[in-house]
Amino acid sequence: MFPFPRYKPLNVALFLSIFDIENSLLEITLKLSFILRVTNTFRVNKIYWITDSVNSAKLEKIIKDLTKYALLPPYLKKYVPISRNLKKVGLMSPLAIPYHLIFKQVVEGEIRLGFKGDFGLKKRINSSSKSILITDSLKVGYIDYSGFYYSGVKNEFVDFNKILNFDNLIIASRNGKNPLKAKEELANLYSKYGLTLLIGPPAGNLLQRLGKQYLDKSYNFVIKQGVLDIRAEEALAYSLSILNLLLS
């Protein structure tokens, strides 16, 4: 019921400028909601946000606030302070990660996150742990649980040069190799270092900016695409879907 984290990191790198074409908090919220849904579906460890936008400081705060809220189970959202950045959270798609699933009656095996003794139960729990495992549904018995399970994607905001220094960098590009034919090299890289998937900015021409030395790190996850251009969030979903199969 509760999936384990990946045995090696699977991270993604996105440019904050993907939000520059959005004209409102609503549009930013909806796009981030899709990105969070996709990355959590494929158990991505971390999103590296490349701070290339003129609004990077503002976007960083919005992304932090929305992600924190989205990752909380329903019974803990009431502790989040009111913020303008959260005005449109009601339109976000539910992440539905395992510890968000709450039953009317507690069941054995449930993992519940808590805050100041509130674990979404009828009574407060005297536990200093951030999570508990339900062991008795009738008596609401539990044990402290700092177990090993996937708990959602994390955010980190970085300069572009940091990403380029990663040993495990791969790039999604229309000019890249067929990942199905490069399955073994991708699997070997993942086994050694994990993977960080870089999706290009809306401006495009990423490989032209980086130079030919990065062509060998590039993979085309949408062979013979039938549209003129692919949005960053779409490329993210397509690429992770294929990588998830190749790494399984």
Side-chain angles (χ1 to χ4, degrees), residues 215-242:
L215 188 59
D216 193 51
K217 298 176 181 287
S218 301
Y219 301 87
N220 184 356
F221 292 98
V222 190
I223 303 296
K224 297 181 180 179
Q225 65 191 56
V227 294
L228 183 62
D229 61 343
I230 293 176
R231 299 182 181 99
E233 63 272 24
E234 295 171 340
L236 176 69
Y238 305 153
S239 302
L240 287 176
S241 179
I242 292 174

Side-chain angles (χ1 to χ4, degrees), residues 176-209:
K177 296 174 284 187
N178 185 331
L180 299 180
K181 295 181 179 179
K183 176 181 178 180
E184 188 173 343
E185 70 180 57
L186 284 168
N188 289 339
L189 180 62
Y190 176 74
S191 296
K192 192 173 182 180
Y193 299 113
L195 292 176
T196 298
L197 170 68
L198 173 63
I199 305 291
N205 300 319
L206 180 61
L207 281 181
Q208 286 87 335
R209 289 168 51 191

Side-chain angles (χ1 to χ4, degrees), residues 38-49:
V38 168
T39 50
N40 280 277
T41 295
F42 294 110
R43 290 179 296 142
V44 169
N45 298 76
K46 184 180 290 187
I47 303 174
Y48 290 103
W49 293 102

Side-chain angles (χ1 to χ4, degrees), residues 21-51:
I21 60 174
E22 315 305 334
N23 297 316
S24 66
L25 178 63
L26 171 61
E27 292 172 312
I28 294 172
T29 300
L30 291 176
K31 179 175 282 191
L32 181 63
S33 174
F34 180 80
I35 290 170
L36 291 177
R37 177 79 177 176
V38 168
T39 50
N40 280 277
T41 295
F42 294 110
R43 290 179 296 142
V44 169
N45 298 76
K46 184 180 290 187
I47 303 174
Y48 290 103
W49 293 102
I50 299 165
T51 54

Side-chain angles (χ1 to χ4, degrees), residues 118-136:
D118 186 353
F119 289 86
L121 304 170
K122 293 180 179 179
K123 62 179 182 179
R124 288 192 172 266
I125 299 295
N126 184 23
S127 172
S128 59
S129 176
K130 292 182 179 180
S131 58
I132 60 172
L133 176 69
I134 302 298
T135 58
D136 189 325

Side-chain angles (χ1 to χ4, degrees), residues 32-134:
L32 181 63
S33 174
F34 180 80
I35 290 170
L36 291 177
R37 177 79 177 176
V38 168
T39 50
N40 280 277
T41 295
F42 294 110
R43 290 179 296 142
V44 169
N45 298 76
K46 184 180 290 187
I47 303 174
Y48 290 103
W49 293 102
I50 299 165
T51 54
D52 68 324
S53 170
V54 294
N55 299 310
S56 287
K58 177 183 177 182
L59 287 168
E60 180 174 340
K61 184 67 168 63
I62 292 173
I63 289 170
K64 285 181 177 178
D65 287 351
L66 290 174
T67 303
K68 179 180 179 181
Y69 187 89
L71 287 174
L72 286 174
Y75 54 86
L76 292 185
K77 294 186 187 297
K78 61 189 175 187
Y79 294 107
V80 178
I82 295 174
S83 166
R84 182 189 179 280
N85 293 337
L86 301 178
K87 284 179 65 176
K88 304 299 181 180
V89 291
L91 298 175
M92 296 182 75
S93 299
L95 290 186
I97 46 184
Y99 60 79
H100 285 185
L101 180 63
I102 303 301
F103 300 95
K104 291 183 178 179
Q105 299 292 330
V106 295
V107 297
E108 287 83 355
E110 266 191 276
I111 296 173
R112 288 187 173 238
L113 300 190
F115 178 73
K116 294 183 177 181
D118 186 353
F119 289 86
L121 304 170
K122 293 180 179 179
K123 62 179 182 179
R124 288 192 172 266
I125 299 295
N126 184 23
S127 172
S128 59
S129 176
K130 292 182 179 180
S131 58
I132 60 172
L133 176 69
I134 302 298

